[in-house]
Amino acid sequence: MQHAVGAPLPPPHVPGGGPWTHQAQHPGHPGPLPGQPPVPPAPRGPQPGQGQPARGPGPGWAGPASGPPAREATGHVQLPPGGPVPLPAQPAGPGTGAATLAVLLIGPAGAGKTTVARFWAGRRRVPTAHVSLDDVREWVCSGFADPQAGWNDHSEAQYRLARRTCGFAARNFLANGISCILDDAVFPDRPVVGLGGWKRHVGPGLLPVVLLPGLEVVLERNAARTGNRRLSDEEVARIHGRMAGWYGSGLPIIDNSTYDVETTARVLDDVLARSIASPPAW
């Protein structure tokens, strides 16, 4: 097909559509051909304010700052400021059920706190996180103040920092509907590593439970440890003796000397259910 010289060329055909739609001008783009009027932009559906909400710039966009947090399929969660954790509502069924909880598992070295906490968290029907204070303290790689080398201002400052970090994590997990169980060797007669700091950083809804097996069991479990987690027998015996002060404190105590991990986790869940119904005074 031939055209007269100077006659405007017809717009090229695009398979599946009509003529070229409007393209934004940018360097290197020739624009409309001489003598041919620009093609108006194709309609793109309702614009914001015309019955259809505006879309964000991409997946995971949380929307305007004044709106509620948005949760996308990508897994992005808008992080709200975590407030003090309140007391949980009593579960309808046996055990803790689907209750959202903040739990502090207390016990001496070798009591099995970390193992039981991780097992309990992994078997719940609802999202539950486990945060170990010892793990958080060991995030400090260079300049780690090991308490085994002596308790001083440096080790105490790192302990306080780790505890505050754990509390921040617990509050924000719960603010997003995720339960949290923490573990720490809290002493009943030492305010620096006592319950007061945990209550201050997490909130009054924190449920403390003491895990206290017999000394022989603790010594045996400690002997199987490696690295800076393993203590001397004398230190283990001293810590275990100080933990006996929790008897008579009003906190629930589990003697897991003869329990395996699964049984201990089941007993822990029952104890927590009773603590929700009748919170301990601490």
Side-chain angles (χ1 to χ4, degrees), residues 58-165:
W61 184 64
S66 59
R71 298 174 183 235
E72 298 287 346
T74 58
H76 171 79
V77 177
Q78 180 75 10
L79 187 65
V85 175
L87 288 171
Q90 187 168 350
T96 59
T100 303
L101 309 174
V103 180
L104 175 62
L105 195 57
I106 301 167
K113 301 184 300 296
T114 301
T115 303
V116 171
R118 186 177 292 121
F119 187 92
W120 179 80
R123 297 306 189 277
R124 297 198 75 213
R125 302 197 307 268
V126 293
T128 304
H130 168 233
V131 180
S132 174
L133 181 127
D134 283 344
D135 290 344
V136 174
R137 286 179 60 249
E138 291 177 356
W139 287 353
V140 179
C141 299
S142 177
F144 172 66
D146 191 346
Q148 295 186 49
W151 188 265
N152 50 41
D153 292 343
H154 194 195
S155 54
E156 180 178 323
Q158 289 191 7
Y159 171 83
R160 290 178 181 271
L161 175 61
R163 183 174 59 188
R164 186 165 65 248
T165 302

Side-chain angles (χ1 to χ4, degrees), residues 110 214-225 230 233 236 257:
L215 177 58
E216 297 79 9
V217 175
V218 169
L219 288 170
E220 181 181 351
R221 292 174 180 171
N222 177 71
R225 290 180 160 194
R230 181 172 179 174
D233 288 352
V236 171
S257 299

